[in-house]
Amino acid sequence: PSFYAFGNSSANTSSSLRMSVTTSAGSSTGTVVKRVKTSEAVASDEVVCVKGWVRTSRKQKTLAFVEVNDGSSLAGIQCVVPFDQVDEETIEQLNKITTGCSVQVNGKIVESQGGKQKFELQADSLRVVGECPGDTYPLAKKRHSLEYLRTIAHLRPRTNTVAAVARVRSQLAGSIHSFFPEIWICIRSNATYHCIRL
């Protein structure tokens, strides 16, 4: 008998993992808020959730700017937190923010008024998920050598270089998996084929 193997590349490759839902931070009603990646941010009237690491933060008299990066792109998203439109807990959480801490920010994505980015998040609430001691956090905003990054292997994925390599690797693996979603083995005996899906 002859053996043939082939893959079905016409399968639906849309990923249901691109969107996950999360409970709104600080909400007693348990409303469900859609989580978006910073690379897929578009302006809308819908309240969304962004989770990631703080790259930079600065406070002014009436508002704060927090740049959050989730690793889905080189640039993160700027979150604007107006003090008069958020609850007291968010203002307390802002005092805990340091470079490198992980946060969850809920709000609406709008077109940015600044020139450095296309969109920004107008925050309704902000929660610190994981604190990071700012005085000992070894990654500043400047560029670091690969030799230095080898000494802090657990933080390498937060850098632009290693994160870019990880995104390329993820795309390659995803493309291979979508091209070969099903493998069939066909056995030819006489004039008929008997196919088995693995």
Side-chain angles (χ1 to χ4, degrees):
S2 302
F3 293 87
Y4 298 92
F6 58 92
N8 179 4
S9 61
S10 63
N12 183 6
T13 59
S14 64
S15 173
S16 61
L17 297 176
R18 290 180 186 245
M19 183 196 78
S20 62
V21 291
T22 183
T23 304
S24 177
S27 173
S28 59
T29 60
T31 58
V32 176
V33 177
K34 182 173 86 168
R35 179 179 176 189
V36 296
K37 295 179 181 177
T38 58
S39 63
E40 300 170 351
V42 292
S44 74
D45 290 333
E46 183 182 9
V47 174
V48 296
C49 172
V50 172
K51 296 181 180 180
W53 294 281
V54 174
R55 283 268 178 98
T56 60
S57 68
R58 65 185 194 279
K59 296 176 192 169
Q60 296 180 348
K61 261 187 174 181
T62 59
L63 50 93
F65 298 97
V66 180
E67 184 186 349
V68 178
N69 193 323
D70 62 1
S72 64
S73 66
L74 285 177
I77 189 166
Q78 177 174 268
C79 302
V80 181
V81 186
F83 296 148
D84 58 345
Q85 297 177 12
V86 295
D87 57 356
E88 288 296 322
E89 189 174 355
T90 297
I91 295 173
E92 290 175 15
Q93 295 285 310
L94 279 170
N95 294 327
K96 296 180 183 179
I97 286 184
T98 57
T99 301
C101 72
S102 54
V103 294
Q104 172 183 329
V105 187
N106 292 352
K108 293 180 182 176
I109 297 176
V110 297
E111 291 187 13
S112 179
Q113 297 175 3
K116 292 186 177 180
Q117 63 276 338
K118 191 172 183 182
F119 300 108
E120 64 187 18
L121 183 74
Q122 290 288 332
D124 296 332
S125 67
L126 180 142
R127 299 295 177 262
V128 175
V129 179
E131 294 183 10
C132 179
D135 52 345
T136 59
Y137 184 68
L139 289 178
K141 198 169 180 180
K142 65 177 184 172
R143 187 180 181 101
H144 297 287
S145 69
L146 294 176
E147 290 77 19
Y148 174 70
L149 293 178
R150 286 189 190 101
T151 64
I152 50 170
H154 62 293
L155 294 175
R156 280 187 297 188
R158 294 191 187 187
T159 63
N160 285 339
T161 304
V162 176
V165 170
R167 282 192 296 276
V168 169
R169 182 180 181 199
S170 174
Q171 283 294 106
L172 289 172
S175 297
I176 291 169
H177 285 285
S178 66
F179 186 76
F180 297 110
E182 298 174 350
I183 300 294
W184 291 79
I185 301 292
C186 294
I187 303 168
R188 180 179 176 209
S189 77
N190 298 333
T192 61
Y193 284 93
H194 302 284
C195 295
I196 307 166
R197 185 173 77 176
L198 298 178

